[in-house]
Amino acid sequence: MVSIGDYEINYRDEGQGSPVVMIHGLAGDLSAWRPQVEALGDRFRVVTFDNRGAGESTQVDEPVTTGDLARDTIALMDRLGIENAHVVGRSMGGAIAQIVALQRPDLVRSLVLCASFAKLDPMGVRVLTDMREVLEWRGDWADHARHSIANFVGSHFFNTERDQIARIEALIGGETRLPACYVRQNHACLAHDTLADLAGIACPTLVMGGTQDPICSPTATGWMSERLAASRTIMFEGCSHFFMMERPQMFMRELVAWLEGGWRIGSTSV
């Protein structure tokens, strides 16, 4: 745990090698990265942490922006003596990572944006708003999970991997954070807009998305790819927001290749 301003930020610093900083999304906490930490820890120094308002970090019902969360990230990296790192962001974490790269380009060796956005498209706005309103109306994480799960995975995965769906739904439904913190960060995602700034990100950037993702859609993914000066885009066919769980082996192959310096420009589908 480290103090960043008025907040206590819970983090883990594991492994040896080039630093990789991983930023989780709107839901969940640093444990979302556990499979990646286990796979990368023998060759990289992997730092994961709970954003304020999540996990074991300070939870306060107050307005927050992705810029606030980016400043937390920068302060944590400075506190840990990380001078330059691969920064990997998932969903909201990718939005935060973009601001880190814009405000402190010296800290970012490369970016990896997983199921993320520079600005949500109208579909993403509607879906994210609907999920928030369910939680506000019902006041129950299990109800939120039941109404949200179909947005996170592709139709084939939902229909065939029923045990996995049950586990994911139980994970989301077992959330312990203050609902107000999710609500505040949901609003932060809706307000996030770095589209006009993306051309200022010069570092190599890997953009990954799912072709069936209604939250961070192919449209929103394309907006990023078009504006990033040195980007590679990989679309996971038939997958949605949780393509990392739907196609874990393919995701890890692409991530490791990128982190090991396999930077290529262009677009592909897998």
Side-chain angles (χ1 to χ4, degrees):
M1 195 79 73
V2 64
S3 296
I4 303 294
D6 296 329
Y7 308 96
E8 295 295 314
I9 301 298
N10 179 52
Y11 74 94
R12 298 193 66 170
D13 190 347
E14 305 170 77
Q16 301 287 331
S18 299
V20 178
V21 175
M22 312 191 87
I23 312 173
H24 70 80
L26 173 60
D29 53 33
L30 62 76
S31 65
W33 294 114
R34 181 48 42 191
Q36 286 70 49
V37 173
E38 292 175 355
L40 298 173
D42 63 342
R43 67 196 99 173
F44 296 97
R45 175 189 177 188
V46 185
V47 174
T48 56
F49 62 97
D50 296 331
N51 289 310
R52 71 165 89 163
E56 297 180 29
S57 292
T58 300
Q59 298 190 25
V60 180
D61 180 5
E62 63 182 9
V64 67
T65 68
T66 50
D68 294 330
L69 300 175
R71 285 187 286 276
D72 292 346
T73 305
I74 291 168
L76 177 63
M77 293 175 71
D78 285 340
R79 188 71 61 85
L80 296 179
I82 298 174
E83 297 179 352
N84 190 252
H86 300 286
V87 179
V88 182
R90 178 177 186 166
S91 193
M92 183 184 75
I96 296 166
Q98 294 162 40
I99 298 176
V100 173
L102 288 164
Q103 293 186 351
R104 286 288 302 278
D106 58 299
L107 287 179
V108 184
R109 183 178 181 188
S110 80
L111 280 178
V112 181
L113 308 177
C114 307
S116 193
F117 59 97
K119 180 180 180 180
L120 292 167
D121 68 5
M123 175 66 81
V125 169
R126 174 60 63 86
V127 172
L128 209 60
T129 299
D130 287 350
M131 290 194 296
R132 186 194 73 244
E133 289 181 343
V134 166
L135 183 60
E136 291 175 312
W137 293 339
R138 303 289 292 181
D140 184 87
W141 283 109
D143 284 349
H144 169 74
R146 182 165 51 85
H147 284 277
S148 301
I149 183 67
N151 296 315
F152 294 138
V153 300
S155 58
H156 179 75
F157 189 90
F158 188 92
N159 288 330
T160 60
E161 303 294 332
R162 299 306 301 163
D163 289 343
Q164 273 272 61
I165 292 298
R167 283 193 290 271
I168 295 170
E169 191 169 337
L171 182 65
I172 299 169
E175 179 68 78
T176 59
R177 74 198 293 186
L178 291 176
C181 290
Y182 172 90
V183 169
R184 296 286 195 175
Q185 292 185 10
N186 185 293
H187 282 294
C189 290
L190 294 173
H192 178 84
D193 185 355
T194 52
L195 277 181
D197 304 316
L198 289 186
I201 296 178
C203 68
T205 303
L206 175 61
V207 178
M208 291 193 275
T211 60
Q212 289 190 10
D213 188 350
I215 304 170
C216 300
S217 71
T219 297
T221 301
W223 288 346
M224 291 192 296
S225 301
E226 293 165 2
R227 290 164 172 80
L228 289 161
S231 68
R232 172 171 171 76
T233 300
I234 300 174
M235 297 300 295
F236 287 75
E237 293 288 345
C239 297
S240 187
H241 201 62
F242 283 3
F243 63 80
M244 297 167 60
M245 302 175 75
E246 295 177 85
R247 302 277 297 281
Q249 294 179 337
M250 179 63 71
F251 169 73
M252 283 306 304
R253 280 199 295 270
E254 296 292 348
L255 178 62
V256 170
W258 180 267
L259 296 177
E260 290 183 338
W263 299 339
R264 291 177 289 163
I265 307 303
S267 300
T268 189
S269 296
V270 293

